[in-house]
Amino acid sequence: MATVTMTVNGKSVSGEVEGRTLLSDFVRNNLNLTGTHIGCDTSQCGACVVHVDGKAVKSCTIFALEVEGSTVKTIEGMANPDGSLGVVQQAFQDNHGLQCGFCTPGMVMSAAALLDENPNPTETEIREYLEGNICRCTGYHNIVKSIQAAAVAA
Amino acid sequence: MYDFELRRPENLSEAIESLSADGAQALAGGQTLIPTLKNRLASPDVLVSIGGLAELQGVSESNGVVSIKAGTTHGVVAGSVKSYPALAALAANIGDPAVRNRGTIGGSIANNDPSACYPAATLASKATIITSKRSIPSSDFFVGIFETVLDEGELITQVDFEVPDVANYQKFDQPASRFALVGVFLARYGNDVRVAVTGASEDGVFRWSEAEQALGSDFSASAIDRLEVDAEGMIEDIHGSKDYRASLIKVLTKRAVKAC
């Protein structure tokens, strides 16, 4: 076991982990931040996307120890400080950008990363950016609409 | 996945030292290695994390050569290589954005997945693979599927690409994995034309020499009309037969010529 320290959603946290402990397991099991979902655990579905130092990464495909000293943002960090929904979250709610909701944390984190890089994406750019996020309800149309609305609202 | 010791060396020399241990393996971006570990297809005792090392980051371009440090992610290559647009475009279309934020050029080339994109670019653009021990021409580097000439503990540190006059990469996506079902990287240096093919052969990436000769004397799509790729030795799986892959090589090569 080794100690890992990082900043998650603005708070400094640390915990004891094995070499093989994935970031997804660390945030869910050690920090009880269960908004990050593990859909496939094979690096394909994107439900576990979080931001590490501002970049979208699949938290099931990076070890917790690799994130030592980094800044992590999970879906729990997307709300406003008063607890109300952030811009991207609100856009998903307003546009029915979710059905079962399982993929939504990853969708929101990918959408936020896209809008950081490209504040006014075209529909094609949004769809291309979501290549690594799978929605089994196949609710992509409304997810794309949500991200377009978030771009306007931001 | 089996447990292992994860080491985080502070610099390159420490990393190379750690890699000399028995059962040690380098961990770059981990986008292939971590899924492999989960499937217990690899069980290293020690993983040496090199992805974050500053000495392995960055792109430089001068005198017709693009030098990419081995730990540079696909996302950074896509955004920062200016003098070799075909290479930047290839990097921009690997996997998905989250994979491109972690996966590295050194990891891709060292792994030599038979459907990976970078090996084709490396082979077509007269690249030199620089390791902790030596410089290896790309023509000597790839041995077979998932196999290269790298020794135990030898680490890729940089890849130098000679920028061609024109180049184009045609990738026929396997839509589930985002790997190439077949990919053709075409690079032209005067009359010296290189056609490197990934995703197709059971022996991994290779150069289609007949097409290179034909295109060297006549750089037009019709120059390869009379050529056929032998389907023998092609990969066959649920996504495509041997014949289909052989056919795709020719189709994609023509598209690449037209796009140049």
Side-chain angles (χ1 to χ4, degrees):
Chain A
M1 300 287 270
T3 304
V4 65
T5 303
M6 64 186 83
T7 301
V8 177
N9 301 333
K11 288 183 197 153
S12 180
V13 296
S14 63
E16 293 293 307
V17 294
E18 293 182 311
R20 62 181 168 181
T21 302
L22 297 162
L23 179 61
S24 51
D25 291 329
F26 179 72
V27 298
R28 286 178 57 84
N29 300 340
N30 292 57
L31 306 180
N32 290 324
L33 295 173
T34 53
T36 296
H37 287 173
I38 300 169
C40 66
D41 209 19
T42 56
S43 320
Q44 286 162 320
C45 80
C48 70
V49 168
V50 301
H51 299 174
V52 174
D53 295 328
K55 298 274 189 194
V57 303
K58 295 181 180 181
S59 63
C60 83
T61 313
I62 181 170
F63 295 115
L65 283 170
E66 293 183 273
V67 187
E68 169 72 33
S70 293
T71 298
V72 176
K73 192 179 219 185
T74 70
I75 187 68
E76 289 87 351
M78 293 302 288
N80 296 320
D82 67 0
S84 62
L85 295 180
V87 170
V88 180
Q89 292 173 309
Q90 188 63 53
F92 270 67
Q93 187 181 59
D94 293 345
N95 292 279
H96 195 53
L98 58 151
Q99 291 180 46
C100 85
F102 195 88
C103 72
T104 309
M107 289 289 179
V108 169
M109 298 313 287
S110 283
L114 167 63
L115 295 175
D116 281 347
E117 287 173 28
N118 179 0
N120 289 301
T122 64
E123 180 182 338
T124 304
E125 286 169 337
I126 293 170
R127 288 183 186 275
E128 281 177 358
Y129 203 89
L130 294 181
E131 274 184 348
N133 290 82
I134 295 172
C135 168
R136 286 201 66 181
C137 307
T138 67
Y140 297 104
H141 287 307
N142 284 355
I143 290 167
V144 171
K145 270 171 62 184
S146 303
I147 297 170
Q148 288 172 316
V152 172
Chain B
M1 117 180 67
Y2 296 111
D3 200 15
F4 47 81
E5 180 195 347
L6 185 72
R7 288 192 196 159
R8 298 184 70 241
E10 303 223 327
N11 55 49
L12 187 55
S13 57
E14 249 183 68
I16 292 163
E17 170 78 30
S18 289
L19 282 169
S20 65
D22 269 354
Q25 190 174 347
L27 169 67
Q31 300 304 286
T32 297
L33 181 54
I34 294 175
T36 304
L37 293 168
K38 289 181 181 181
N39 285 320
R40 295 186 169 178
L41 295 171
S43 53
D45 299 319
V46 175
L47 273 188
V48 182
S49 174
I50 55 165
L53 292 177
E55 291 157 280
L56 293 181
Q57 303 294 325
V59 172
S60 59
E61 306 178 63
S62 65
N63 300 326
V65 175
V66 174
S67 299
I68 304 176
K69 300 281 189 181
T72 309
T73 63
H74 311 322
V76 169
V77 172
S80 58
V81 170
K82 301 300 177 201
S83 60
Y84 196 172
L87 186 67
L90 172 149
N93 199 32
I94 295 173
D96 58 56
V99 166
R100 293 195 287 273
N101 283 336
R102 292 292 302 161
T104 69
I105 185 169
S108 172
I109 290 170
N111 189 47
N112 193 18
D113 187 295
S115 301
C117 298
Y118 267 127
T122 312
L123 203 52
S125 30
K126 302 185 181 182
T128 303
I129 290 125
I130 300 162
T131 77
S132 49
K133 292 182 178 172
R134 53 189 165 150
S135 289
I136 307 167
S138 57
S139 51
D140 295 341
F141 185 79
F142 301 104
V143 175
I145 287 182
F146 298 113
E147 204 181 342
T148 69
V149 296
L150 289 173
D151 294 329
E152 290 288 319
E154 186 174 11
L155 187 68
I156 299 176
T157 56
Q158 182 172 316
V159 186
D160 288 351
F161 293 88
E162 281 187 40
V163 180
D165 305 335
V166 288
N168 185 260
Y169 180 55
Q170 292 287 325
K171 177 181 179 183
F172 196 92
D173 279 11
Q174 200 277 71
S177 71
R178 309 278 171 209
F179 274 90
L181 186 67
V182 173
V184 172
F185 200 105
L186 179 121
R188 182 185 189 191
Y189 302 84
N191 291 328
D192 181 3
V193 176
R194 308 255 173 146
V195 179
V197 181
T198 188
S201 169
E202 289 179 333
D203 294 326
V205 66
F206 70 98
R207 282 170 59 190
W208 185 16
S209 50
E210 291 87 350
E212 292 181 348
Q213 284 162 19
L215 292 168
S217 50
D218 173 14
F219 194 75
S220 69
S222 59
I224 62 166
D225 275 344
R226 62 185 172 78
L227 300 180
E228 293 298 336
V229 179
D230 188 354
E232 193 58 39
M234 293 291 127
I235 296 169
E236 178 147 318
D237 58 22
I238 58 166
H239 308 295
S241 67
K242 291 172 189 280
D243 289 331
Y244 184 58
R245 281 188 163 84
S247 168
L248 270 182
I249 293 170
K250 183 169 165 179
V251 170
L252 296 178
T253 304
K254 290 180 136 196
R255 286 183 189 172
V257 174
K258 285 177 185 164
C260 279

